[in-house]
Amino acid sequence: MSKNRKLMSALTALSASAALLTTGTSALAASYKVVKNDSLWAISKKYGVSISSLQKANSLSGNTIYVGQTLKIPSSNKTTSFKSTTKTSSKTATVKATATSSTTYKVAKGDTLWSIAKKYGVSVSALQKANNLSSSLIYIGQSLKLASSLTSYTTNGVTKSTTTSSTTKSTTTKTKSSTSTSKTAVSQAPTSIKRSSTTASSANITAYALTFLGVPYVWGGTTPSGFDCSGYVQYVYSHFGISVGRTTYTQQYAGTKISVASAQAGDLYFWGSYGSAYHVAIALGGGQYVMAPAPGQVVKTGNVSSYTPSFAVRVL
């Protein structure tokens, strides 16, 4: 009897140790091996984590990564799980939807159509359509409709926004049994962007250009895994079938030279004298632009008042 008790105790302890080991293993961060055309930005979107958390987890001081490099992936909140014991239980997670069809936003200093779209979880094109805008140009004090079909969702205290074409309804997570688990995935930005034959309008060009915000600067880069300034401009315009050349030198001759003050959305801003330009950006309208700035930085927006171009070129 004594030997049996000792054997049972040993088995119990072994089972507990195995459970702890399994728990500890699952708590470890996942890892990812970098492949060709990867970028820190694309990997962060794929796993639903921030670029800064990836940098911190892998002791990176910048955005440079290498093919074959193994990266630790910190814990992600990409998927939110809901557990419930019965349909009537107070612990059952509920996804609440609140219609905001009449909501408007007043443009403040420093706002861009892209930043407002990102803030409310809608696309730039949806904002343009809701407000009858033909470009990305907006003004301080302007009231914008936040898309007639905008709906905000709150999931376990985290608010997300999406657009819907039907009446908003409150939906309670359903369970097939008392032990089942329902999962709701929070939408993420796509990890890749497909090329299309979209019309080459200033609105479409600027909207497409803004989809690459956060892509790291890579010297000589010409793809979403990393851009330099002229590689970024070439990639955006070639998406619409427009050839502007590969370098800043050739791009300054891709259209008609105009003044910085005359530039509109879809034009190009250049730094340096005409014929010797050394930097380029895509005009968003209203003195704003988007560019791949310099090593160690990412594609971002700027303003002519803080970094003034030398001249502009009208491509369209």
Side-chain angles (χ1 to χ4, degrees):
M1 182 63 73
S2 177
K3 289 183 178 180
N4 289 337
R5 288 180 179 176
K6 288 181 179 180
L7 180 59
M8 290 300 292
S9 297
L11 289 174
T12 302
L14 183 60
S15 298
S17 298
L20 287 173
L21 181 59
T22 301
T23 302
T25 301
S26 63
L28 292 176
S31 62
Y32 176 79
K33 192 170 184 179
V34 179
V35 298
K36 187 177 179 181
N37 294 328
D38 266 343
S39 68
L40 209 60
W41 175 82
I43 295 171
S44 72
K45 295 302 179 185
K46 180 176 181 179
Y47 288 96
V49 297
S50 65
I51 291 177
S52 59
S53 65
L54 274 176
Q55 290 172 322
K56 184 177 180 181
N58 293 277
S59 300
L60 300 176
S61 58
N63 295 300
T64 303
I65 54 177
Y66 307 93
V67 174
Q69 182 178 2
T70 299
L71 298 178
K72 295 179 181 178
I73 307 298
S75 298
S76 169
N77 292 324
K78 186 175 181 180
T79 303
T80 303
S81 297
F82 301 101
K83 292 185 177 181
S84 59
T85 54
T86 63
K87 292 183 179 180
T88 58
S89 171
S90 60
K91 293 183 179 180
T92 301
T94 302
V95 181
K96 296 181 179 179
T98 306
T100 57
S101 58
S102 61
T103 302
T104 58
Y105 177 80
K106 193 171 184 180
V107 178
K109 184 177 180 181
D111 276 338
T112 65
L113 205 60
W114 177 85
S115 65
I116 296 170
K118 183 178 180 182
K119 180 177 180 181
Y120 289 95
V122 296
S123 66
V124 172
S125 59
L127 279 178
Q128 290 174 320
K129 183 177 181 181
N131 294 278
N132 296 318
L133 300 176
S134 59
S135 71
S136 299
L137 183 63
I138 54 176
Y139 306 93
I140 295 176
Q142 182 178 2
S143 292
L144 297 177
K145 296 178 182 178
L146 298 178
S148 59
S149 56
L150 179 67
T151 305
S152 294
Y153 288 89
T154 302
T155 306
N156 282 4
V158 179
T159 300
K160 295 288 180 181
S161 299
T162 184
T163 53
T164 177
S165 58
S166 59
T167 305
T168 305
K169 297 180 180 181
S170 294
T171 307
T172 303
T173 303
K174 297 181 179 180
T175 57
K176 294 182 179 180
S177 66
S178 61
T179 59
S180 64
T181 301
S182 174
K183 296 183 178 181
T184 300
V186 178
S187 62
Q188 299 291 319
T191 56
S192 62
I193 299 171
K194 295 182 179 179
R195 289 173 176 260
S196 66
S197 57
T198 308
T199 304
S201 67
S202 59
N204 289 332
I205 288 174
T206 54
Y208 184 68
L210 288 170
T211 63
F212 299 103
L213 287 172
V215 171
Y217 181 98
V218 173
W219 182 265
T222 58
T223 70
S225 62
F227 289 118
D228 63 16
C229 65
S230 56
Y232 172 53
V233 169
Q234 179 194 40
Y235 190 88
V236 170
Y237 280 82
S238 64
H239 176 78
F240 297 92
I242 301 174
S243 177
V244 295
R246 167 64 186 89
T247 65
T248 303
Y249 178 81
T250 56
Q251 289 170 1
Q252 65 186 319
Y253 300 118
T256 305
K257 181 176 178 287
I258 58 176
S259 67
V260 171
S262 301
Q264 301 174 358
D267 293 337
L268 296 178
Y269 283 124
F270 290 89
W271 284 257
S273 59
Y274 187 62
S276 302
Y278 59 84
H279 186 56
V280 62
I282 300 172
L284 298 175
Q288 299 175 89
Y289 51 77
V290 59
M291 62 178 178
Q297 299 187 45
V298 298
V299 174
K300 63 182 180 180
T301 57
N303 194 289
V304 296
S305 62
S306 57
Y307 184 38
T308 307
S310 305
F311 63 93
V313 168
R314 179 148 297 156
V315 178
L316 301 180

